[in-house]
Amino acid sequence: MTFTGLIGRVFMLPLRLIINTCVRLRIHPNTLTFIGVLINIAAAWALALGKFMTAGLIMVVANIFDFIDGKVAVELGEVSQFGGFWDSVIDRFSDLSLFIGLIYLYAQLGRTDYVMITALAMMFAIMTSYTRARAESIIKKCKVGFMERPERIVLFMIGAFTNRMAAVMWVILVLSVFTVADRIILTYRELRDARQVAA
Amino acid sequence: MKRAASLPARVLWNAFYWTYERATWQYDLMVVAILAFVWLTPPDWLNDPMASGCGPLGWVLAQLR
């Protein structure tokens, strides 16, 4: 088993308990998604105040909700197209709020350089989701590139807990640029191949 | 005819054009590289607005000098 696979299994144990509790209480998955974004806004507030440790702890709680909503939906038999759409939209709000919290902090500190780095990281993080969503309306699957939402969220938490947010912003920015480029390349290739087959 | 790319070129291309799933050894390697960058790069090198100091890498370099 790989290192990251092992970490995933270890974290799955307490999450399983929370999922089972939510299923027993029959909490609607869309409600869990919405609670997640509210808690993420609180994390963004803590980031804006420069309270990274508090922000990290709040992010952990928020992302438990983010993670379990889909699993609870499956177990309750509440999987729906609207649920998927709602989850995607709310995830973008969560992402944006964290970035905006950091941008506010760096602006308060008068650090235009990191305001720009964080704003660019935010732009490419959103473009990562957009390129996939748009690509999958014209090709079958567009799941390439390293920097997806789970990676981004874990990096945010690592940055907050270890006070290394600047390095984290650089990583998110560079790898998000690559991810967007990967998705454009894949879509171009798939459409070109389909055209050649048709000709 | 297509020419086979050299190994370093292929490694670089595969790191850029990422198609590996999570929980593979390639993914683990990327995670280690990212964590090394985040934790070992001295905050001063990045002009970190919230952290300062040389970090572990700076400390090692200072010991070597």
Side-chain angles (χ1 to χ4, degrees):
Chain A
M1 184 192 286
T2 60
F3 172 66
T4 45
L6 180 69
I7 291 178
R9 279 201 179 184
V10 170
F11 278 98
M12 201 55 214
L13 294 173
L15 286 173
R16 194 68 254 167
L17 275 174
I18 301 170
I19 292 166
N20 290 345
T21 310
C22 291
V23 170
R24 217 171 299 128
L25 296 173
R26 296 199 68 79
I27 301 174
H28 199 280
N30 291 352
T31 310
L32 293 173
T33 311
F34 190 65
I35 294 170
V37 74
L38 294 181
I39 303 174
N40 258 318
I41 290 169
W45 186 263
L47 282 177
L49 296 176
K51 294 179 177 168
F52 283 176
M53 191 59 79
T54 311
L57 289 170
I58 300 172
M59 271 187 257
V60 170
V61 179
N63 289 296
I64 288 173
F65 283 90
D66 264 7
F67 179 80
I68 64 169
D69 53 3
K71 314 258 187 264
V72 172
V74 171
E75 300 212 359
L76 283 176
E78 298 268 11
V79 177
S80 66
Q81 283 187 322
F82 178 77
F85 166 79
W86 172 251
D87 185 41
S88 301
V89 172
I90 292 296
D91 282 353
R92 300 293 84 71
F93 277 119
S94 295
D95 280 352
L96 286 168
S97 57
L98 294 177
F99 281 112
I100 288 171
L102 264 186
I103 289 172
Y104 179 87
L105 171 70
Y106 292 143
Q108 283 282 88
L109 295 171
R111 293 296 302 267
T112 324
D113 50 352
Y114 273 95
V115 168
M116 277 310 293
I117 290 164
T118 310
L120 286 170
M122 176 172 78
M123 182 172 92
F124 279 95
I126 296 304
M127 286 309 293
T128 296
S129 316
Y130 181 75
T131 43
R132 181 171 173 193
R134 189 69 183 84
E136 288 183 352
S137 70
I138 46 177
I139 64 170
K140 208 172 175 189
K141 202 157 183 59
C142 186
K143 201 174 171 355
V144 288
F146 181 88
M147 191 51 70
E148 293 192 301
R149 188 157 190 268
E151 285 76 19
R152 218 162 39 230
I153 295 301
V154 170
L155 271 168
F156 254 105
M157 288 194 268
I158 288 171
F161 282 128
T162 62
N163 192 17
R164 289 290 182 272
M165 207 49 104
V168 161
M169 279 306 110
W170 277 108
V171 172
I172 291 178
L173 171 59
V174 172
L175 293 182
S176 297
V177 170
F178 284 175
T179 302
V180 171
D182 290 349
R183 291 176 177 189
I184 293 171
I185 292 168
L186 177 82
T187 308
Y188 173 77
R189 283 178 171 176
E190 293 265 320
L191 291 175
R192 183 195 57 194
D193 293 349
R195 218 171 37 237
Q196 281 170 354
V197 168
Chain B
M1 195 174 76
K2 270 188 183 172
R3 202 161 54 87
S6 64
L7 184 66
R10 249 186 304 147
V11 170
L12 269 179
W13 174 252
N14 287 341
F16 163 71
Y17 189 70
W18 189 265
T19 55
Y20 303 105
E21 292 292 326
R22 294 192 181 104
T24 56
W25 69 265
Q26 293 90 344
Y27 187 86
D28 276 9
L29 204 65
M30 186 65 131
V31 167
V32 169
I34 290 170
L35 291 180
F37 174 78
V38 169
W39 284 333
L40 299 181
T41 306
D44 287 352
W45 291 8
L46 299 171
N47 278 323
D48 191 325
M50 292 298 284
S52 59
C54 297
L57 188 62
W59 182 83
V60 172
L61 290 176
Q63 300 303 310
L64 292 175
R65 271 187 218 127

